[in-house]
Amino acid sequence: MIGGTLSTGSSTGYNETVGTLQLEENSIINLGTGSHSLNFSASNGVSWTSGKTLTITGWSGGSGSSGTAGRIFVGSDASGLTAEQLSQITFAGIGEAKILSTGEIVPKGIFQSKTTGNWNVAATWEVYNGSGYTTTTIYPTKDESTVTIKNTHVVTLTSDATVSNLIIESGGELALSDKSLTLARDATLTNNSTFTAGTGTVVFEGVGTVAGSQVTTFYNVIINGTAESGGVNFGAYKSKIDGTLTINSWGYADVNAPTYGVNSHLVYNTGAVYDRRVEWGASGTGTIGVTPGYPNDVTITVNTTLNYVHETIGIAKSIYGDLVIDAGSSLYMDYGSPSPGITDPLTVNGNVTINGNLSLSNDVGGDIIVKGNWTRGAGSTLVNNERAVFFTGTSEKVINTAGGETFDYVVLDNSSNLDLQSNVRVEEQLEMVSGNITTNSNILEIGTSVAEPGLLDYTSGMVFGNFKRWFIASTNSGDNTGLFTLGVGTDFRPVLIEYTSAPSSGGSLTAQFVETEMGWQNSGNSPTITAVGSCGQFSVTNYSDEGYWQVDAADGLSGGNYNISIYPNGFEIINDYCQLTALKRVGAGNWVESGTHKEPNQTGPYGLLVKRTGATGWSNWGLAGGKNNVLPVELVSFYAICEGNFIDLFWETASEKNSDYFDVERSSDGVIWMKVGELKSAGNSKKQLEYSFRDISKDENVYYRLKQVDFDGKSEFSEIIAVKCF
């Protein structure tokens, strides 16, 4: 072209193919308004006169995108013109040119805000035309559009847009609302003022950078990538995620990680093996919202395998919230079986939910610390690798695993309760530092067989429910191999089993404390306990209504003699420690002696200790006592009502122990008493019971009291009440 104007006209559907495009003088191509195209051959080998400009007028469409009316093509791909040739082309009122992969020449788009307004309104913008900014008929929507938001201008995104670079100058503001802003590969977001994320999303289509003088607080961020590269540098303390950071295939965070808000979510969504990077790179436990690379919730999904071992950017890792591993996805703390492996723990301050696969470290110290619930679904796997699962913190926790959970090592150091909603087996060792375990209808098991009986390392805490332990065909001694840390409410009621002669075959014992009264036996079936140490002989006259220890043998355990130590902590009034003994019952039979009664020890390792040695066989063990340990009736109320010549007496009991009957006694002076009636009592009860008695009396002033008599003849008087009837 040697000057002048080439006009394509306005005919719809008109296409013309010509030769190469050569520029010798300033020239114009007018595309008109119809849908048509002007097609040149590739012209990258054609000489253009330096300093001359080809101006394209009449073009319509969005920046960086294919035209919507007249179109110009030079060749069939992005090599049709050289970069220098493109720099000599300008779109009138729009700006500089670029070439698409189809060979189409379109505006590059260098925009700056002209005023406050909506992103998708052309009047909000002005565009660079090669020498300065001018009014434009389009707005930035495609990659390679460089956008600057100027001082005092607030631009609101009202439809999705794509840019190559975004600059928010001091005093300017970009509001995403709920829309999506895509940053093309190699893009930079420079925030020197205000970035209002709303509930919108920023998408990085590959390598990207966050820069500027201000922290950019995103809501949602998506990182895509290519096989070549896809890392986003969030800047040193320049970015925060308040919504979800999703890492897709080939995407990753590079060099600098964002910080995360308390409601944020890091999602690994690569669908392949992903090498953990700085997005989860903080060392140890950080401060949420302050420490870069310290995420809140983390989810591994869509068949992603997270190589947790990758990069030595802080070995000890932690998350503030929950860890979720979806079906088909995995987290490997031992990926590639490194040597040495991860030697510091992963701490999850929230819940762990596994529907995929979790493999702990293959090196000492590479454990997992859980401060929330543990849930594992059907079809998921846990590879323990001889590592420990720590349950710590102060809140109540739940373990719920489809089909039951098996750990190698468990450390319970939690001031609240661990609730089992499925069976839990600890193959190697359970360490109870603090906190209780409630098994519900499930079983807590230490060990897995006589070949691997497991150990208990005990400091504090109780087990409410079924507790199973394994015993080999050998003797055992001490808490590690024989203690069942049972409890009721706030009362610790353990039982210790120590075989002094080996069982003929090993197996298991399952123990629990049953809160059902032992039941009364008449004197003909009650044993007499021989004197021992400083304690004299006594006859058993009462049996605990607090409950008993049920201990059942299974898995082939038989034979042998054992010592049994029970701790009746929290049992109701015990007046005479010497008149206490442990008795055994098989099934629904009588409570009898088994082995040798030992003198009770008021200061045993876990409180009051009642022990027998050389016992045999299994079923139930309970606490029995002599007459000095009869528990009194617990009287709740005692009062009278006058009815003419009658006086009606009423009393209530909250509980009764071995109570035979009540005598009702009357006195006119409170000194000399006369029995006026007798009522049979309940005997043994933990329920509130009501009694009444009618007396005939003509005295205006009279006193009453109750005499409660036990089965063995022991009695106790109630308080005295005074009655005045007029």
Side-chain angles (χ1 to χ4, degrees), residues 549-583:
W549 291 262
Q550 180 176 327
V551 186
D552 297 318
D555 302 303
L557 181 66
S558 63
N561 298 327
Y562 61 89
N563 298 342
I564 183 168
S565 302
I566 62 175
Y567 293 84
N569 296 311
F571 275 48
E572 292 181 355
I573 300 171
I574 296 176
N575 301 311
D576 188 345
Y577 296 103
C578 276
Q579 291 195 359
L580 293 174
T581 191
L583 298 181

Short mmCIF file of all heavy atoms in Angstrom, two decimals, residues 549-583:
data_model
loop_
_atom_site.label_atom_id
_atom_site.label_comp_id
_atom_site.label_asym_id
_atom_site.label_seq_id
_atom_site.Cartn_x
_atom_site.Cartn_y
_atom_site.Cartn_z
N TRP A 549 -17.77 -55.85 87.32
CA TRP A 549 -16.85 -55.94 86.18
C TRP A 549 -17.14 -57.23 85.42
O TRP A 549 -17.02 -58.33 85.97
CB TRP A 549 -15.40 -55.94 86.66
CG TRP A 549 -14.94 -54.65 87.24
CD1 TRP A 549 -14.23 -53.67 86.61
CD2 TRP A 549 -15.14 -54.18 88.59
NE1 TRP A 549 -13.98 -52.63 87.46
CE2 TRP A 549 -14.52 -52.91 88.69
CE3 TRP A 549 -15.77 -54.70 89.72
CZ2 TRP A 549 -14.52 -52.17 89.87
CZ3 TRP A 549 -15.78 -53.97 90.88
CH2 TRP A 549 -15.16 -52.71 90.96
N GLN A 550 -17.52 -57.08 84.17
CA GLN A 550 -17.75 -58.26 83.33
C GLN A 550 -16.49 -58.48 82.49
O GLN A 550 -16.07 -57.61 81.73
CB GLN A 550 -18.95 -58.07 82.41
CG GLN A 550 -19.23 -59.26 81.51
CD GLN A 550 -20.49 -59.09 80.68
OE1 GLN A 550 -21.44 -58.46 81.13
NE2 GLN A 550 -20.48 -59.63 79.47
N VAL A 551 -15.91 -59.66 82.62
CA VAL A 551 -14.68 -60.00 81.90
C VAL A 551 -14.89 -61.33 81.20
O VAL A 551 -15.07 -62.36 81.85
CB VAL A 551 -13.47 -60.09 82.86
CG1 VAL A 551 -12.18 -60.28 82.06
CG2 VAL A 551 -13.38 -58.86 83.74
N ASP A 552 -14.89 -61.31 79.87
CA ASP A 552 -15.19 -62.50 79.08
C ASP A 552 -13.97 -62.93 78.28
O ASP A 552 -13.31 -62.11 77.62
CB ASP A 552 -16.34 -62.24 78.12
CG ASP A 552 -17.63 -61.91 78.85
OD1 ASP A 552 -17.91 -62.57 79.86
OD2 ASP A 552 -18.35 -60.98 78.42
N ALA A 553 -13.68 -64.23 78.34
CA ALA A 553 -12.57 -64.80 77.57
C ALA A 553 -13.06 -65.23 76.19
O ALA A 553 -14.20 -65.65 76.02
CB ALA A 553 -11.98 -65.98 78.32
N ALA A 554 -12.18 -65.11 75.20
CA ALA A 554 -12.51 -65.51 73.83
C ALA A 554 -11.22 -65.81 73.07
O ALA A 554 -10.12 -65.69 73.61
CB ALA A 554 -13.31 -64.43 73.12
N ASP A 555 -11.38 -66.19 71.82
CA ASP A 555 -10.25 -66.43 70.91
C ASP A 555 -9.30 -67.50 71.44
O ASP A 555 -8.08 -67.43 71.23
CB ASP A 555 -9.49 -65.13 70.63
CG ASP A 555 -10.38 -64.06 70.03
OD1 ASP A 555 -10.97 -64.32 68.97
OD2 ASP A 555 -10.48 -62.96 70.63
N GLY A 556 -9.87 -68.48 72.18
CA GLY A 556 -9.08 -69.63 72.61
C GLY A 556 -8.39 -69.50 73.95
O GLY A 556 -7.69 -70.43 74.37
N LEU A 557 -8.58 -68.39 74.67
CA LEU A 557 -7.91 -68.23 75.96
C LEU A 557 -8.48 -69.22 76.97
O LEU A 557 -9.69 -69.25 77.20
CB LEU A 557 -8.09 -66.80 76.48
CG LEU A 557 -7.42 -66.48 77.82
CD1 LEU A 557 -5.90 -66.55 77.69
CD2 LEU A 557 -7.84 -65.11 78.32
N SER A 558 -7.62 -70.00 77.60
CA SER A 558 -8.08 -70.97 78.60
C SER A 558 -6.92 -71.32 79.52
O SER A 558 -5.74 -71.19 79.17
CB SER A 558 -8.62 -72.24 77.93
OG SER A 558 -7.60 -72.90 77.20
N GLY A 559 -7.30 -71.80 80.72
CA GLY A 559 -6.31 -72.26 81.68
C GLY A 559 -5.57 -71.13 82.34
O GLY A 559 -5.82 -69.93 82.11
N GLY A 560 -4.65 -71.49 83.23
CA GLY A 560 -3.81 -70.52 83.92
C GLY A 560 -4.47 -69.96 85.16
O GLY A 560 -5.68 -70.03 85.34
N ASN A 561 -3.64 -69.43 86.05
CA ASN A 561 -4.09 -68.74 87.25
C ASN A 561 -3.69 -67.27 87.14
O ASN A 561 -2.64 -66.95 86.59
CB ASN A 561 -3.47 -69.34 88.51
CG ASN A 561 -3.88 -70.79 88.72
OD1 ASN A 561 -4.99 -71.19 88.38
ND2 ASN A 561 -2.97 -71.59 89.28
N TYR A 562 -4.51 -66.40 87.71
CA TYR A 562 -4.23 -64.98 87.58
C TYR A 562 -4.56 -64.24 88.86
O TYR A 562 -5.37 -64.69 89.68
CB TYR A 562 -5.03 -64.38 86.42
CG TYR A 562 -6.53 -64.49 86.56
CD1 TYR A 562 -7.27 -63.50 87.20
CD2 TYR A 562 -7.22 -65.60 86.06
CE1 TYR A 562 -8.65 -63.59 87.34
CE2 TYR A 562 -8.60 -65.71 86.19
CZ TYR A 562 -9.31 -64.70 86.84
OH TYR A 562 -10.67 -64.81 86.97
N ASN A 563 -3.91 -63.09 89.02
CA ASN A 563 -4.27 -62.14 90.06
C ASN A 563 -5.19 -61.10 89.45
O ASN A 563 -4.96 -60.63 88.33
CB ASN A 563 -3.03 -61.45 90.63
CG ASN A 563 -2.07 -62.43 91.29
OD1 ASN A 563 -2.45 -63.54 91.63
ND2 ASN A 563 -0.81 -62.00 91.45
N ILE A 564 -6.22 -60.73 90.20
CA ILE A 564 -7.13 -59.70 89.73
C ILE A 564 -7.21 -58.58 90.76
O ILE A 564 -7.38 -58.83 91.95
CB ILE A 564 -8.54 -60.26 89.43
CG1 ILE A 564 -9.44 -59.14 88.87
CG2 ILE A 564 -9.16 -60.96 90.64
CD1 ILE A 564 -10.74 -59.65 88.28
N SER A 565 -7.04 -57.35 90.27
CA SER A 565 -7.12 -56.16 91.12
C SER A 565 -8.24 -55.27 90.61
O SER A 565 -8.23 -54.87 89.44
CB SER A 565 -5.79 -55.38 91.09
OG SER A 565 -4.71 -56.20 91.51
N ILE A 566 -9.22 -55.00 91.48
CA ILE A 566 -10.31 -54.10 91.10
C ILE A 566 -10.26 -52.85 91.96
O ILE A 566 -9.80 -52.88 93.10
CB ILE A 566 -11.69 -54.78 91.20
CG1 ILE A 566 -11.99 -55.19 92.66
CG2 ILE A 566 -11.78 -55.98 90.26
CD1 ILE A 566 -13.38 -55.76 92.84
N TYR A 567 -10.72 -51.75 91.38
CA TYR A 567 -10.68 -50.45 92.06
C TYR A 567 -12.10 -49.87 92.09
O TYR A 567 -12.56 -49.28 91.12
CB TYR A 567 -9.75 -49.50 91.34
CG TYR A 567 -8.29 -49.91 91.41
CD1 TYR A 567 -7.76 -50.84 90.51
CD2 TYR A 567 -7.45 -49.37 92.37
CE1 TYR A 567 -6.43 -51.21 90.58
CE2 TYR A 567 -6.11 -49.73 92.45
CZ TYR A 567 -5.61 -50.66 91.54
OH TYR A 567 -4.29 -51.02 91.62
N PRO A 568 -12.81 -50.03 93.22
CA PRO A 568 -14.21 -49.56 93.32
C PRO A 568 -14.31 -48.07 93.66
O PRO A 568 -15.02 -47.69 94.61
CB PRO A 568 -14.78 -50.45 94.41
CG PRO A 568 -13.63 -50.70 95.32
CD PRO A 568 -12.42 -50.79 94.43
N ASN A 569 -13.62 -47.25 92.92
CA ASN A 569 -13.65 -45.81 93.20
C ASN A 569 -15.05 -45.25 92.96
O ASN A 569 -15.71 -45.58 91.99
CB ASN A 569 -12.65 -45.07 92.30
CG ASN A 569 -11.23 -45.47 92.59
OD1 ASN A 569 -10.81 -45.48 93.74
ND2 ASN A 569 -10.48 -45.82 91.55
N GLY A 570 -15.49 -44.38 93.88
CA GLY A 570 -16.78 -43.74 93.74
C GLY A 570 -17.96 -44.56 94.20
O GLY A 570 -19.10 -44.13 94.07
N PHE A 571 -17.71 -45.78 94.72
CA PHE A 571 -18.83 -46.56 95.26
C PHE A 571 -19.40 -45.83 96.47
O PHE A 571 -18.69 -45.11 97.19
CB PHE A 571 -18.35 -47.95 95.67
CG PHE A 571 -18.33 -48.94 94.55
CD1 PHE A 571 -17.74 -48.63 93.33
CD2 PHE A 571 -18.90 -50.19 94.70
CE1 PHE A 571 -17.71 -49.54 92.29
CE2 PHE A 571 -18.87 -51.12 93.66
CZ PHE A 571 -18.29 -50.79 92.45
N GLU A 572 -20.70 -46.03 96.70
CA GLU A 572 -21.34 -45.36 97.82
C GLU A 572 -20.69 -45.76 99.14
O GLU A 572 -19.86 -46.67 99.20
CB GLU A 572 -22.84 -45.66 97.82
CG GLU A 572 -23.55 -45.02 96.63
CD GLU A 572 -25.04 -45.29 96.66
OE1 GLU A 572 -25.50 -46.04 97.54
OE2 GLU A 572 -25.74 -44.76 95.78
N ILE A 573 -21.13 -45.13 100.21
CA ILE A 573 -20.47 -45.15 101.51
C ILE A 573 -19.84 -46.51 101.84
O ILE A 573 -20.52 -47.53 101.90
CB ILE A 573 -21.45 -44.77 102.63
CG1 ILE A 573 -22.00 -43.36 102.36
CG2 ILE A 573 -20.77 -44.83 103.98
CD1 ILE A 573 -23.12 -42.97 103.28
N ILE A 574 -18.53 -46.50 102.00
CA ILE A 574 -17.78 -47.66 102.47
C ILE A 574 -17.21 -47.29 103.83
O ILE A 574 -16.37 -46.41 103.95
CB ILE A 574 -16.66 -48.04 101.48
CG1 ILE A 574 -17.26 -48.47 100.14
CG2 ILE A 574 -15.79 -49.15 102.05
CD1 ILE A 574 -16.25 -48.77 99.06
N ASN A 575 -17.70 -47.97 104.86
CA ASN A 575 -17.32 -47.62 106.23
C ASN A 575 -16.11 -48.39 106.73
O ASN A 575 -15.38 -47.91 107.60
CB ASN A 575 -18.50 -47.87 107.17
CG ASN A 575 -19.72 -47.06 106.78
OD1 ASN A 575 -19.64 -45.87 106.56
ND2 ASN A 575 -20.87 -47.73 106.67
N ASP A 576 -15.92 -49.61 106.21
CA ASP A 576 -14.89 -50.48 106.76
C ASP A 576 -14.18 -51.17 105.61
O ASP A 576 -14.72 -52.09 104.98
CB ASP A 576 -15.53 -51.51 107.70
CG ASP A 576 -14.50 -52.33 108.46
OD1 ASP A 576 -13.31 -52.30 108.07
OD2 ASP A 576 -14.89 -52.99 109.43
N TYR A 577 -12.98 -50.71 105.30
CA TYR A 577 -12.22 -51.28 104.18
C TYR A 577 -11.89 -52.74 104.41
O TYR A 577 -11.74 -53.51 103.47
CB TYR A 577 -10.94 -50.48 103.95
CG TYR A 577 -11.21 -49.05 103.52
CD1 TYR A 577 -11.08 -48.00 104.42
CD2 TYR A 577 -11.61 -48.77 102.23
CE1 TYR A 577 -11.35 -46.69 104.03
CE2 TYR A 577 -11.87 -47.47 101.82
CZ TYR A 577 -11.74 -46.44 102.74
OH TYR A 577 -12.00 -45.15 102.35
N CYS A 578 -11.74 -53.12 105.66
CA CYS A 578 -11.40 -54.51 105.96
C CYS A 578 -12.53 -55.46 105.59
O CYS A 578 -12.30 -56.65 105.38
CB CYS A 578 -11.05 -54.67 107.44
SG CYS A 578 -9.33 -54.26 107.82
N GLN A 579 -13.77 -54.97 105.55
CA GLN A 579 -14.90 -55.83 105.21
C GLN A 579 -15.31 -55.64 103.75
O GLN A 579 -16.47 -55.42 103.41
CB GLN A 579 -16.06 -55.56 106.16
CG GLN A 579 -15.80 -56.02 107.58
CD GLN A 579 -17.06 -56.09 108.41
OE1 GLN A 579 -18.16 -55.78 107.96
NE2 GLN A 579 -16.91 -56.52 109.67
N LEU A 580 -14.31 -55.72 102.88
CA LEU A 580 -14.53 -55.68 101.43
C LEU A 580 -13.81 -56.85 100.79
O LEU A 580 -12.70 -57.22 101.21
CB LEU A 580 -14.02 -54.38 100.83
CG LEU A 580 -14.73 -53.08 101.22
CD1 LEU A 580 -13.98 -51.90 100.64
CD2 LEU A 580 -16.18 -53.08 100.76
N THR A 581 -14.40 -57.43 99.76
CA THR A 581 -13.76 -58.51 99.03
C THR A 581 -14.27 -58.55 97.60
O THR A 581 -15.34 -57.99 97.28
CB THR A 581 -14.00 -59.87 99.72
OG1 THR A 581 -13.15 -60.86 99.12
CG2 THR A 581 -15.47 -60.30 99.58
N ALA A 582 -13.52 -59.20 96.72
CA ALA A 582 -13.93 -59.41 95.34
C ALA A 582 -14.47 -60.83 95.20
O ALA A 582 -13.84 -61.79 95.64
CB ALA A 582 -12.77 -59.20 94.39
N LEU A 583 -15.65 -60.95 94.59
CA LEU A 583 -16.27 -62.25 94.36
C LEU A 583 -16.51 -62.44 92.87
O LEU A 583 -16.71 -61.47 92.13
CB LEU A 583 -17.59 -62.36 95.11
CG LEU A 583 -17.52 -62.28 96.64
CD1 LEU A 583 -18.92 -62.43 97.23
CD2 LEU A 583 -16.59 -63.34 97.22
#
